[in-house]
Amino acid sequence: MKIKINRTILINIILDLLFGIFFLYYLNSSAGNVSSGYRWLITAFAAYDFTNVIMSIRKIVLENKKK
């Protein structure tokens, strides 16, 4: 069984991983300089990016299961 991945979904997964890793790196590198409000905002962006990666993988699996 060959898994077919849409190019746009693949690019979306890669970019979401990069942005999620960047947000986590930014939180760890400037932990003393970031206020509590910004910390929650950056954490929310990172969580959204990683959730979007999981949902994209789920979409790929469901599309390939239909065929």
Side-chain angles (χ1 to χ4, degrees):
M1 179 172 102
K2 186 175 180 182
I3 297 175
K4 187 173 182 180
I5 299 175
N6 192 354
R7 182 182 172 134
T8 55
I9 293 176
L10 182 64
I11 292 171
N12 187 23
I13 289 172
I14 293 169
L15 288 176
D16 282 336
L17 277 174
L18 289 175
F19 283 123
I21 291 169
F22 169 74
F23 286 135
L24 290 179
Y25 174 76
Y26 183 75
L27 275 176
N28 288 334
S29 67
S30 62
N33 299 333
V34 177
S35 69
S36 179
Y38 286 128
R39 186 179 308 267
W40 281 105
L41 183 65
I42 293 170
T43 304
F45 281 137
Y48 171 76
D49 284 334
F50 290 126
T51 304
N52 198 10
V53 169
I54 293 169
M55 295 307 287
S56 296
I57 292 172
R58 181 178 179 263
K59 184 176 181 178
I60 291 170
V61 168
L62 289 176
E63 285 178 358
N64 285 308
K65 194 180 270 189
K66 288 179 183 177
K67 294 179 181 180

